[in-house]
Amino acid sequence: MMDAAHIVRLQEEATQAWHEPAGVPAAASELDGVKQGLDDLVLEQGLDDLVLEQHRANFDLWHEEDQARDPQATPEKIVRIKRAIDRLNQRRNDLMEHIDGMLLDWMLRARAGEQRAEAPLHSETPGMMIDRLSILELKRFHTEEEIGRAAGDEHVQRNQQRLAVLKEQREDLRNALDALWAEVMSGRRRFKLYRQMKMYNDPALNPVLYRARAEK
């Protein structure tokens, strides 16, 4: 059974651990490989593992994007970071879809049948909401980090106010996810697996990639 509070705890504990010097596993960008590798991962692991993999993709995205904003970054470094961001964003979205696929499968088996066609459709899926929780957790962690930085009282006060808003938003979203899942399981609401249809990494759909290949 899905529990949004448990998901928030997983994300929070992982964020803390990954920021410890000895706590960072291989970057998600090093793990993405081919799509079959991700499909194998889904078959072997459960929801907690997928939630953590998806959170790790966001974690790595956050820190790659920080590197991209370095005013001293060389053009070569920016190119490397941009390609890493593309791979990570693809992985992030793939994992959102796999989370939704797993939850749909759970729901169909638990209800022993298809969703009610007449139930209102919820256009934001649980996987999308879990992704938003992941990003809110990263914002929470780094805002708390800023509160502890010696940067003056005004900086601390501004980030304390920011932290209060982030915590409220996360609590609202956590409650909304639990409410959605309860309605889905009772048949009062339904959701679909929405494919993100990203084009930029596909050599058959990105004009720059397929034109470059044609010119060879």
Side-chain angles (χ1 to χ4, degrees):
M1 196 68 175
M2 190 190 67
D3 178 354
H6 174 67
I7 288 170
V8 167
R9 283 195 301 274
L10 282 176
Q11 292 170 337
E12 192 165 317
E13 290 169 3
T15 303
Q16 181 65 45
W18 293 339
H19 280 94
E20 297 295 332
V24 182
S29 58
E30 298 170 16
L31 298 174
D32 53 6
V34 295
K35 191 174 188 300
Q36 182 60 46
L38 183 56
D39 292 339
D40 290 344
L41 172 74
V42 173
L43 291 173
E44 293 170 4
Q45 298 185 319
L47 180 63
D48 283 5
D49 301 293
L50 287 179
V51 166
L52 286 173
E53 289 287 340
Q54 203 274 338
H55 185 51
R56 184 54 203 259
N58 277 322
F59 177 95
D60 288 338
L61 264 172
W62 180 287
H63 295 93
E64 290 285 1
E65 287 169 352
D66 274 353
Q67 292 295 315
R69 297 182 184 103
D70 179 1
Q72 303 302 318
T74 64
E76 293 79 13
K77 184 177 182 181
I78 294 294
V79 169
R80 180 194 64 75
I81 292 170
K82 168 58 178 168
R83 289 175 178 164
I85 287 171
D86 282 351
R87 291 194 300 271
L88 286 164
N89 201 42
Q90 183 72 59
R91 182 178 179 83
R92 167 199 174 200
N93 283 280
D94 287 346
L95 285 161
M96 263 195 286
E97 292 178 12
H98 282 299
I99 288 169
D100 283 330
M102 179 175 285
L103 291 174
L104 275 171
D105 184 59
W106 278 8
M107 181 272 299
L108 294 174
R109 285 188 283 113
R111 288 176 48 79
E114 295 293 327
Q115 300 182 88
R116 291 171 55 242
E118 64 271 23
L121 177 67
H122 200 274
S123 63
E124 185 177 41
T125 69
M128 294 174 185
M129 296 170 82
I130 290 168
D131 177 64
R132 287 174 59 202
L133 284 170
S134 169
I135 295 166
L136 281 167
E137 163 52 23
L138 291 168
K139 290 178 179 179
R140 180 207 63 81
F141 179 90
H142 287 285
T143 300
E144 287 192 346
E145 196 173 50
E146 287 302 309
I147 290 171
R149 186 163 67 89
D153 292 344
E154 184 178 345
H155 181 81
V156 169
Q157 184 177 12
R158 174 173 176 262
N159 280 283
Q160 285 174 334
Q161 293 169 348
R162 174 186 171 90
L163 180 62
V165 172
L166 289 169
K167 287 183 173 180
E168 180 181 0
Q169 289 177 347
R170 186 172 67 166
E171 182 68 9
D172 289 346
L173 183 56
R174 181 185 70 79
N175 290 334
L177 178 57
D178 276 337
L180 171 62
W181 187 244
E183 288 190 316
V184 166
M185 292 301 292
S186 68
R188 300 193 309 273
R189 192 166 287 274
R190 62 191 173 91
F191 74 96
K192 293 180 179 180
L193 176 55
Y194 286 109
R195 300 294 183 186
Q196 300 300 314
M197 302 297 184
K198 297 292 184 184
M199 301 175 69
Y200 49 77
N201 285 327
D202 190 331
L205 297 176
N206 183 320
V208 172
L209 297 180
Y210 62 67
R211 285 171 186 158
R213 186 174 57 183
E215 289 169 1
K216 287 184 178 179

